[in-house]
Amino acid sequence: MSIRFLICLVLAGILATGCATSGKKPGKPASRASDMTFKKLEVAGVRLGDGKGVLRKFGTAKRSALSGGGREVYEIYKPNSYISMLVLTFVDGRVKKMELRYFKGPTEHTYVTAGGWEGLRDYLIKRFGPPTKTGDGVTQLNDMRGLTTGYAKFNGEWLFPKAEKRIHFISLADARGGVAVITFLDTSTRKITPAGQVAPPGSIGFNPGF
């Protein structure tokens, strides 16, 4: 079963039943996060600001039809055992956006491994602080089609104006399946220098793969 067919299957099941947006109340803007916080952020060996050479790490990297308009988009299926798909957006040859996708379906279980929408939400809060805003009105940053915010279990954003970074997390789920997408975006206009090696985050009982 192809990953694209699985995505459509999972979304079709979730959207057929629908569910209400929920989650913790939004906290204060997470402005305390610094540039160092994001220099320590690594997803399957990729960091914001890395050059296109990182694609050589993945034999499954495939250029997406979404490329164009000054950006190059690549889809990487199973960048590690914890993430179903990693979507990298390059601008001026550097990683501008990282999109992590998790699924629960007949052949994909990364959504469960990552702790479900509640586990992912709590992991983000523990690492980056409370979200700046949650609810149906939060604008999505991902390139995945079919994620209707009105059906979301959680839809929220973290804004870091000083670090010039932004995080968005949305999840839809029901008894038959689930999908979650975490997006890390560099909002700066300057070119980014790749960070050095960092230690992996501590384990908290489940693994979201970053």
Side-chain angles (χ1 to χ4, degrees):
M1 180 182 292
S2 70
I3 187 67
R4 292 184 183 280
F5 181 77
L6 173 62
I7 292 170
C8 294
L9 185 63
V10 171
L11 285 176
I14 295 171
L15 295 177
T17 56
C19 40
T21 300
S22 60
K24 293 183 177 180
K25 294 181 180 179
K28 295 180 180 179
S31 58
R32 65 180 179 275
S34 64
D35 280 319
M36 186 57 65
T37 302
F38 288 92
K39 286 180 180 179
K40 293 179 180 179
L41 174 66
E42 179 180 306
V43 181
V46 182
R47 303 178 187 87
L48 290 170
D50 278 348
K52 289 184 65 177
V54 298
L55 294 172
R56 292 194 292 268
K57 297 180 180 181
F58 310 102
T60 59
K62 181 180 179 182
R63 185 180 171 93
S64 170
L66 295 171
S67 299
R71 68 176 195 161
E72 294 182 78
V73 183
Y74 287 84
E75 298 176 346
I76 302 165
Y77 175 61
K78 282 290 186 181
N80 60 33
S81 58
Y82 305 106
I83 302 171
S84 291
M85 182 177 286
L86 174 63
V87 182
L88 301 178
T89 298
F90 294 84
V91 176
D92 295 328
R94 296 289 179 183
V95 177
K96 190 75 170 178
K97 184 171 73 170
M98 300 191 296
E99 184 178 318
L100 293 61
R101 299 177 181 178
Y102 304 85
F103 302 110
K104 177 186 176 184
T107 61
E108 288 290 319
H109 309 287
T110 56
Y111 183 85
V112 177
T113 303
W117 72 270
E118 292 174 303
L120 286 167
R121 176 204 60 192
D122 293 347
Y123 180 84
L124 288 169
I125 291 174
K126 181 177 180 180
R127 191 162 179 186
F128 299 101
T132 308
K133 183 180 179 182
T134 63
D136 186 33
V138 173
T139 302
Q140 297 187 57
L141 298 180
N142 61 74
D143 288 306
M144 187 173 175
R145 298 174 181 174
L147 299 181
T148 306
T149 59
Y151 294 140
K153 287 287 189 181
F154 184 90
N155 182 46
E157 64 180 4
W158 285 252
L159 303 178
F160 307 91
K162 291 183 179 180
E164 297 184 291
K165 302 294 187 296
R166 187 175 173 186
I167 300 172
H168 175 255
F169 169 48
I170 185 171
S171 177
L172 290 81
D174 63 14
R176 291 177 289 182
V179 57
V181 184
I182 297 173
T183 306
F184 298 104
L185 176 67
D186 169 43
T187 60
S188 69
T189 56
R190 69 184 187 276
K191 292 186 177 180
I192 304 171
T193 301
Q197 293 292 327
V198 297
S203 173
I204 55 174
F206 52 83
N207 197 327
F210 67 94

